[in-house]
Structures are given as C-alpha cells and as structure tokens.
C-alpha cells in the first residue's frame, strides 16, 4: 500500500487529470466490449463466452485493412463491419440452434468457438504477435491539460465510446426498433405473435454486440500487440464489468466499466500489488450488497 | 436361435495368444531398431503472445539438429525432436515434460520455456532424473541457488545477473554523464522480471551510488493494457526508466508509452529491446532506447555470427531471436559432449558437459563454456548499446568484460547466500 502516493495524487491537478483520463481510457475500451456482452445477454439470455474472439477479430481486421489501404477510418470500419457480419453468421448458423438448450450446452458451443477462432487467426495471420502501429495523424505530442498528460488518440477513443453509449441508450429507449428489441427481451413469444421476425432481431442484436467488441478491438489495435487468444483477458474483465453493472444493463455496463477503469488507474498508485484483487473485491462487495448488480433491474 | 459357448480355449483366444507371443519374441528386435534413434523432448511456447519466440527456439534447435543428423547423428543415433506446445502455462509445461519422457520415450529434454515454466520443468527433471537443458530461462536463481541444483540439469540461456552487471555498469556511466539520479522501473511481475530488475538496480547503485528509485511498476505477464503503468511512471517524473519487459509485452508497452511521449521525457533502458522479434514488430520504434544485446547478427561482429544469422534467415525467412541462439547452443553442446563421451546416454552427456568449452558464433571470444560449478553458460557475447529504427538496429555495442562479470557475480552469490 502506498497511501502517500494516492493522497499526493488526489491533491495534484496534473495527477488527477492524467489518472482520471487513464481510468476513462481503460474503462471505455472495456465498456465497448462489455456492452455487447450485456446486450446479447439482455435480449437473448445467452452468456456469450466467445465474445472476446470478436474483439480479437476486430483488431486483426483493422490491422489488415490499415496495412492494405493506409486509411485509419477504413480500418475502424472494417474492424466493426467485419465482426458484425461474423456475429450475424455465428448467431444464425450456430448459436440459434442452442437457444432452447441447456446453459452448459451454450457455454460449450461458445468455448469451442473460442478455440476455433483462435486457431483460425493463427492460420490466417500466424502465431506471432503483430503490431498495427499508430496512424501518423495521431503521432503527435500529448496534450497537457492542467498539467496532466492526455494523448489525442485516447480522446478519440473516449469520444467514440461515449458516442456509442449515447446512441445505444437513445436508440433503445426512443426508436421503434429499440422498443421492439426491448419487447423481445421481455416477451419474445408475444413479439413473435405480433408478426415480428424474432430470429432477425436476435441475429441483429448478436451482430451489434459483435460489432461493438470488434470496434473496441479495432480502436485498441494501434496501441496493443495482436496475438491469437488476445480476447480472453479482455473477456474476463468484461464479465466483471457486466456483473458489477448488472447483466443486461447498458447504463450499468458504462458505470461498471468506468469504476473498473478508475480502480485500475488510481489503484496502480495506491495499492499497486493489489489492483486486480481490488477489482474482484469490489465485484464481491457489489454482489453481496446487490446480487443483481448496481443496475441489474434496468434490463434492456 | 441362441449360441452356446463351448468350454476350453476359443479360436479367437488362441489367435490372441499367438499374436501376443509373436510380439514378445519380436520386441527385442523392435527395441534394437528404435535404439538407432534418440528422441529429444522439447516443451516450448508455440501459441499466445510468445509463440514467435517458441517457434524461433524450435528453429534454432532444428538448424543444428539437421547438421548433426546429416553428419551421422549423436554417437551414431539420429535425433528425433518431439516438440510440444505448453501454451506458456507452467502446469502445462510440467505435464508436457513428464509426458515427453514417460509416454513418448524421450531420453533428453530441452526445456525451451520462459522462466515461469522452466522452474516447473526443473522439478520434473529432478523427479525423473532425466538429462535436461534449460534453454530460455534467464532467472539467475535457477542455477545460482544451490537449492535448485541437480546434476542432470544445465542452462544455456544467458543469465539475468550477467546482463545486470553489464547493464548496471553501462547505465551508471550514462547516468553520471547525463546526471540521471531519479530512476523508475517497469518489469513483468514474475520470477524473471523481479530477479533481473533487482539485480540491475543493485549494480546500478553499486556503480552510481547517488541513484534513487522513485517508482516501480510490476504489470502482469502478458497484460494487454499498460495505460495505468505508463501514467504511474509519468507521475513520478523519473529521469530514466529501466524495463525487463520482453516480446509482445515490450512492443505493446512501447506503443502505449509512445503516445504519452514517455520516450522523450526520460532515458529508457530496456534490456530486451535489441532482439529482432521486438525490433521488427514495433512500427514506431523510438530512437535511442538503450538495450542489452539479445540476438543481432552484427554482434559479436564476426563472420561466423553473421553467417549463422544469414543461414537461419535463408531457412526460415526471418532473423533469429535471443531464444534461437540459446537453443542452438544447447544442441551444439550436446553434440560436443556426445563426441567427448562417445555416447548419447544422458548421464554420460552430463558428465562430459560440465566444464565443456566449445567454439561458438555467439561467444565473446569465439567460444562458450558450460561452467562446471553451477552448470550454466558463460563466455557468451554480452553488451549494451542504443537502438535505431532500422538495420543494424544497434550500430555500436559496448561489450561487457567477462573477468569483471565473473568477479562481481561471485560477490553477488555471496550476498545472496548462494556460496
């Protein structure tokens, strides 16, 4: 424990800016992965254990597109669109067959695809780690705000994630398709009886979840090394986020991700050897106090 | 219609008995035929973020095994390598190592694991008594600590304390010239990272006593995100940073630290930077990172080393890594020990290998020695220099002095209670 470092930081505007931004960066990437996970659970009642693979594919698709075209925007688009298509195919061909089945069966299918997807990446891109590299537009000195350091690329990352949160929130609450999705989550039989194709909704939600994870992977690609299996560690933290926020709650995923980000950011100063432990401890405390998570009732 | 079984021995049983009898009589012939081949087991990391290094370990071994087999084998026995993926998990490395010996019939082991797995394989070697060379683990205590010593285990990997002595001296000289007094460290949180960083700091302070460590960060091995680690170091405002991160972890860290302009705010000493694995993967390699040599074909600057690096590249379409030469050296030593002992038997190889000196493209003076007292490699080329983003990547390397290394290592062992 280094309480002096933590209190010293809290008293310094430069440190507050840097560490809070750092918490946002960690949290926002986690949010993009976790929100897809929680959305799929909220509507389909499936714990998509293979969700991390979409994060991995998003990163690899983006890297390849960037290498071929040199365009960062196109790389992000390919990362998101590619995983959306992959998610749709995966849901229609495989997952849709186990919806009525045992939870264990769903987990087994998902886990099988974690291994299959990892091997696919190994076959296509090779087993070695890869690096996409930072686009030249973002190879600029960091911004100094109140003495704190903020890289411009991370501002973009935070902005994209916040925009996604806003679009999802408004889209689900205010639009017709959002209402249909929420209705399908509560009573799929009734939605189907009204003549709405629930299979299409399920496929669409899975594609959207995959796309969000893929977008997170694409945004992470310039600053993280790419390797087969890279989705697994992100998946674990995303599960923590969804458990804290409440399975099925988009707002909960946002708050959960930010809390984890801040724990990691400030924890590295105050309790560097217990940062991971603190994340799990926090999750346990939330589960004991509110077994459904902080916003568990706000099912999408 | 029902079928009744008749008492006595059935025709099927008779055939089975005859078959078993034939197998029993044929077994000595099969065994003799198999004895012409010697199986060497090799657990290594062929998947995950370190897969490239595991593959380069396999390549380093195969380039030398092919030479030995072409020249008639190990004491007349052709080598068959049995290489398995441990996925970088210590428990899997131990399981694979045990299976290689007990199930696959491997008579020798090349443990091409990182330190996290090497200690697990070491216990398997202790338990089974099988001849074993640790080819990748640089954690000093693996061979320096007498509690770890077993007569059948050797190490051809470089040793963290050797790198730290040379690195500490090199860094201290720069610290004195540039006035670098406030230092931070950032290394992976496992045996290798902790040991090597502790040793580097020890020697840095020995050579530059006014140095102060103002911050230390210990990210987990294979951690995907280093943001909080980077910002923690920035908060401490050090003048210099030491890191023992390696492979994909190091490249990831560089990418993430780059956008915080960390490399322009402090001198960076990354012991594992000067390896082709990292040098060729990082897209925006900052100029002027100080690094120990891992494997570069221009150091040692000899025709033999350049030829070995080029031959490797011609065969595998990429340059060797630090793990490549360490594994190739293991095979070279086995070959020479086998010639000396005129045998491929593990115990005889071990006896022949203690104190053995061989010619090597990786030697500081053209030779390397398997030191008898702790069964670890000495005499390999070791130095530090600064990196540039293009070939030759480290244009000038300041060589370490092995006399000084050995003298300081002996003192270090005393302070640790190893001697």
């Amino acid at each position: 424990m280094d309480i002096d470092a933590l209190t010293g930081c809290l008293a310094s505007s430069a440190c507050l800016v840097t560490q809070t931004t750092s918490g946002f960066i960690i949290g926002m990437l986690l949010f993009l992965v976790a929100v897809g996970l929680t959305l799929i659970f909220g509507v389909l009642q499936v714990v998509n254990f293979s969700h991390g693979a979409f994060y991995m594919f998003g990163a690899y698709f983006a890297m390849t597109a960037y290498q071929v075209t040199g365009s960062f925007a196109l790389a992000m688009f390919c990362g998101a669109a590619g995983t959306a298509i992959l998610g749709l195919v995966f849901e229609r061909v495989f997952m849709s067959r186990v919806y009525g089945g045992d939870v264990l069966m769903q987990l087994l299918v998902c886990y099988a695809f974690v291994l299959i997807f990892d091997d696919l990446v190994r076959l296509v891109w090779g087993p070695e780690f890869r690096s996409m590299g930072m686009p030249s537009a973002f190879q600029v000195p960091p911004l100094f705000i109140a003495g704190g350091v903020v890289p411009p690329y991370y501002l973009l990352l935070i902005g994209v994630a916040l925009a996604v949160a806003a679009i999802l929130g408004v889209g689900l609450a205010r639009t017709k398709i959002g209402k249909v999705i929420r209705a399908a989550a509560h009573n799929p039989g009734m939605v189907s009886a009204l003549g709405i194709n629930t299979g299409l909704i399920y496929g669409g939600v899975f594609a959207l979840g995959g796309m969000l994870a893929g977008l997170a992977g694409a945004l992470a690609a310039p600053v993280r090394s790419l390797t087969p299996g890279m989705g697994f560690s992100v998946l674990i933290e995303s599960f923590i986020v969804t458990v804290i926020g409440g399975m099925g709650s988009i707002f909960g995923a946002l708050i959960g991700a930010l809390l984890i980000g801040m724990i990691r950011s400030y924890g590295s100063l105050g309790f560097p050897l217990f940062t991971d432990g603190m994340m799990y401890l926090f999750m346990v405390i939330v589960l004991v106090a509110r077994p459904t998570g902080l916003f568990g009732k706000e099912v999408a | 219609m029902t079928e009744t079984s008749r008492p006595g021995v059935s025709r099927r049983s008779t055939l089975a008995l005859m078959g078993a009898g034939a197998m029993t009589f044929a077994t000595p012939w099969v065994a003799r035929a198999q004895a012409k081949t010697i199986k060497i087991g090799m657990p290594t990391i062929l998947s995950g973020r370190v897969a490239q290094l595991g593959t380069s370990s396999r390549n380093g071994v195969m380039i030398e095994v092919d030479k030995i087999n072409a020249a008639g084998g190990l004491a007349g026995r052709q080598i068959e390598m049995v290489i398995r993926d441990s996925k970088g998990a210590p428990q899997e490395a131990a399981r694979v190592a045990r299976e290689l010996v007990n199930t696959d019939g491997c008579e020798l082991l090349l443990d091409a694991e990182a330190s996290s797995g090497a200690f697990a394989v070491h216990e398997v070697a202790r338990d089974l008594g099988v001849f074993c060379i640790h080819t990748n683990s640089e954690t000093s205590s693996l061979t320096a600590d007498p509690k770890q010593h077993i007569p059948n285990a050797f190490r051809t990997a470089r040793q963290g304390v050797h790198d730290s002595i040379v690195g500490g001296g090199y860094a201290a000289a720069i610290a004195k010239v540039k006035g670098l007094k406030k230092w931070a460290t950032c290394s992976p949180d496992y045996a290798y990272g902790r040991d090597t960083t502790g040793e580097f700091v020890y020697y840095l302070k020995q050579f530059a006593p006014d140095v102060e460590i103002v911050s230390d960060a210990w990210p987990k091995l294979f951690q995907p995100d280093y943001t909080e680690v980077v910002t923690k170091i920035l908060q401490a405002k050090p003048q210099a940073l030491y890191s023992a991160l390696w492979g994909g972890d190091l490249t990831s860290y560089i990418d993430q630290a780059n956008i915080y302009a960390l490399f322009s705010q402090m001198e960076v000493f990354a012991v594992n930077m000067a390896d082709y694995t990292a040098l060729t993967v990082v897209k925006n390699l900052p100029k002027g990172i100080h690094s120990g040599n891992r494997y570069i074909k221009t150091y040692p600057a000899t025709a033999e080393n350049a030829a070995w690096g080029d031959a490797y590249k011609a065969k595998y379409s990429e340059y060797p890594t630090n793990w490549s030469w360490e594994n190739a050296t293991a095979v070279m030593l086995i070959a020479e020990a086998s010639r000396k002992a005129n045998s491929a038997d593990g115990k005889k190889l071990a006896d022949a290998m203690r104190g053995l000196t061989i010619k090597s493209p990786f030697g500081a003076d053209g030779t390397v020695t398997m030191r008898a007292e702790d069964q670890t490699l000495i005499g390999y080329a070791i130095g530090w220099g600064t990196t540039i983003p293009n070939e030759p990547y480290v244009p000038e390397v300041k060589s370490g002095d092995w006399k000084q290394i050995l003298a300081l290592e002996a003192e270090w062992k005393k302070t640790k209670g190893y001697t």
Side-chain angles (χ1 to χ4, degrees):
Chain A
M1 291 273 280
D2 192 351
I3 297 300
D4 288 348
L6 189 59
T7 51
C9 181
L10 294 174
S12 151
S13 64
C15 186
L16 274 175
V17 169
T18 305
Q19 293 307 114
T20 305
T21 320
S22 162
F24 263 95
I25 294 155
I26 298 163
M28 286 294 115
L29 264 182
L30 271 180
F31 165 71
L32 284 177
V33 182
V35 74
L37 197 65
T38 206
L39 197 64
I40 290 168
F41 178 80
V43 178
L44 285 74
Q45 299 296 306
V46 168
V47 180
N48 182 17
F49 199 64
S50 62
H51 198 63
F54 292 89
Y55 168 84
M56 172 180 70
F57 272 115
Y60 275 96
F61 288 157
M63 180 191 70
T64 307
Y66 185 67
Q67 283 171 347
V68 172
T69 66
S71 162
F72 175 69
L74 208 56
M76 295 301 103
F77 175 77
C78 286
T83 45
I85 294 166
L86 189 68
L88 184 65
V89 173
F90 179 54
E91 192 276 338
R92 283 294 84 195
V93 178
F94 301 105
M95 288 308 292
S96 59
R97 296 171 195 276
V98 292
Y99 284 153
D102 187 56
V103 175
L104 261 180
M105 176 61 83
Q106 294 174 358
L107 279 177
L108 269 176
V109 170
C110 287
Y111 185 63
F113 273 93
V114 169
L115 303 177
I116 291 167
F117 285 148
D118 281 357
D119 279 352
L120 266 178
V121 167
R122 200 171 287 123
L123 278 173
V124 176
W125 286 279
E128 64 274 13
F129 61 89
R130 309 282 290 269
S131 173
M132 175 173 148
M134 182 59 66
S136 53
F138 294 103
Q139 288 177 33
V140 291
L143 304 172
F144 288 90
I145 302 169
V149 192
V150 184
Y153 182 73
Y154 283 162
L155 282 182
L156 169 86
L157 195 152
I158 293 168
V160 169
L162 285 176
V164 165
I167 291 167
L168 276 178
V170 172
L172 282 173
R174 304 281 170 86
T175 64
K176 187 183 172 191
I177 190 152
K179 287 172 185 168
V180 172
I181 289 172
R182 283 191 292 140
H186 282 290
N187 194 336
M190 181 61 76
V191 171
S192 186
L194 290 170
I196 295 169
N197 185 347
T198 49
L200 192 66
I201 293 170
Y202 289 168
V205 167
F206 215 100
L208 179 62
M211 186 192 80
L212 292 168
L215 180 63
L219 284 165
V223 286
R224 292 187 181 178
S225 57
L226 279 57
T227 178
M230 65 185 279
F232 191 73
S233 57
V234 175
L235 182 74
I236 299 294
E237 289 193 352
S238 300
F239 271 123
I240 298 174
V241 165
T242 48
V243 168
I244 289 172
M247 291 291 277
S249 166
I250 290 168
F251 185 64
L254 180 65
I255 298 301
L258 285 176
L259 285 170
I260 292 297
M262 294 305 163
I263 288 174
R264 288 258 311 265
S265 179
Y266 284 98
S268 70
L269 296 176
F271 32 89
L273 298 180
F274 195 62
T275 314
D276 281 1
M278 193 58 90
M279 279 191 330
Y280 288 102
L281 186 64
F282 184 66
M283 182 179 78
V284 170
I285 291 168
V286 169
L287 278 179
V288 169
R290 278 184 68 89
T292 54
L294 291 175
F295 301 91
K297 283 179 182 174
E298 292 182 18
V299 179
Chain B
M1 186 175 145
T2 50
E3 207 174 289
T4 51
S5 60
R6 283 178 291 176
V9 182
S10 69
R11 189 167 59 178
R12 189 171 293 178
S13 303
T14 310
L15 282 171
L17 277 170
M18 284 170 69
M23 285 297 288
T24 309
F25 287 113
T27 301
W29 179 82
V30 173
R32 275 198 302 275
Q34 285 175 340
K36 294 299 273 181
T37 302
I38 180 165
K39 286 185 178 178
I40 302 180
M42 182 173 170
T44 190
I45 307 169
L46 297 172
S47 55
R49 209 191 268 191
V50 191
Q52 192 174 0
L53 286 170
T55 306
S56 76
S57 300
R58 181 179 63 193
N59 294 347
V61 163
M62 290 314 299
I63 203 167
E64 295 305 319
V65 164
D66 288 349
K67 285 181 201 168
I68 294 170
N69 281 343
L74 212 59
R77 297 169 69 184
Q78 290 288 298
I79 299 173
E80 182 188 338
M81 291 302 303
V82 186
I83 303 170
R84 296 269 158 77
D85 182 13
S86 69
K87 303 176 181 69
Q91 70 278 14
E92 186 69 2
R95 188 191 68 74
V96 167
R98 199 172 282 277
E99 198 174 277
L100 283 166
V101 176
N102 289 340
T103 309
D104 295 293
C106 294
E107 295 174 49
L108 315 174
L109 277 183
L110 290 182
D111 161 39
E113 290 292 323
S115 293
S116 51
F119 281 87
V121 176
H122 192 71
E123 291 312 307
V124 174
R126 188 196 299 274
D127 185 31
L128 301 180
V130 64
F131 175 93
C132 173
I133 299 184
H134 301 293
T135 56
N136 295 340
S137 172
E138 300 174 17
T139 305
S140 303
S141 58
L142 183 62
T143 49
D145 185 349
K147 286 178 198 155
Q148 297 289 348
H149 181 78
I150 47 175
N152 50 312
F154 297 79
R155 183 221 309 256
T156 54
R158 60 199 314 137
Q159 217 183 137
V161 70
H162 296 162
D163 273 326
S164 297
I165 289 168
V166 179
Y170 172 87
I174 293 173
K176 283 176 186 167
V177 172
K178 297 193 174 182
L180 310 174
K181 291 182 181 171
K182 291 167 70 180
W183 283 65
T185 67
C186 174
S187 296
D189 191 10
Y190 76 115
Y192 166 73
R194 292 266 176 186
D195 275 22
T196 306
T197 303
E199 289 152 13
F200 175 86
V201 170
Y202 176 81
Y203 285 107
L204 175 64
K205 286 183 171 176
Q206 286 270 311
F207 295 120
D210 53 351
V211 159
E212 176 196 3
I213 303 298
V214 294
S215 179
D216 58 343
W218 303 99
K220 292 208 161 19
L221 190 62
F222 311 145
Q223 182 169 316
D225 191 349
Y226 295 97
T227 306
E228 78 271 20
V229 175
V230 173
T231 54
K232 181 188 177 187
I233 289 163
L234 287 174
Q235 298 305 337
K237 295 186 174 61
Q239 296 166 296
L241 169 71
Y242 169 82
S243 177
L245 289 169
W246 54 280
D249 288 9
L250 178 61
T251 59
S252 214
Y253 182 81
I254 289 173
D255 282 337
Q256 291 173 35
N258 245 341
I259 60 174
Y260 277 96
L262 182 140
F263 298 99
S264 65
Q265 296 177 48
M266 61 195 77
E267 293 279 332
V268 176
F269 296 75
V271 61
N272 296 313
M273 188 70 243
D275 199 22
Y276 289 115
T277 334
L279 291 167
T280 54
V281 170
V282 178
K283 295 286 187 297
N284 313 112
L285 183 68
K287 192 180 172 186
I289 294 180
H290 303 274
S291 176
N293 72 306
R294 313 307 289 168
Y295 180 81
I296 45 172
K297 68 168 191 165
T298 50
Y299 183 78
T302 61
E304 290 82 4
N305 183 35
W308 194 85
D310 287 338
Y312 182 104
K313 193 179 183 200
K315 190 165 186 177
Y316 299 112
S317 304
E318 61 185 15
Y319 276 124
T321 68
N322 186 45
W323 286 17
S324 303
W325 81 258
E326 292 173 335
N327 279 274
T329 299
V331 182
M332 289 173 185
L333 275 162
I334 287 174
E336 189 56 37
S338 169
R339 270 192 287 274
K340 193 176 158 190
N342 195 26
S343 171
D345 174 70
K347 194 169 180 315
K348 288 178 182 167
L349 283 179
D351 290 340
M353 195 170 283
R354 281 182 211 104
L356 184 64
T357 296
I358 61 166
K359 283 186 180 174
S360 165
F362 321 116
D365 63 355
T367 66
V368 292
T369 298
M370 179 56 73
R371 186 166 56 191
E373 66 185 64
D374 55 359
Q375 304 186 172
T376 198
L377 195 75
I378 57 169
Y380 52 87
I382 184 167
W384 276 66
T386 54
T387 57
I388 57 171
N390 305 304
E391 284 201 65
Y393 294 113
V394 191
E396 284 181 35
V397 180
K398 188 171 165 36
S399 295
D401 173 4
W402 269 100
K403 277 185 186 167
Q404 186 194 34
I405 295 169
L406 296 177
L408 290 173
E409 184 194 15
E411 282 176 23
W412 170 79
K413 280 186 174 177
K414 279 182 192 163
T415 62
K416 298 288 283 185
Y418 292 157
T419 53

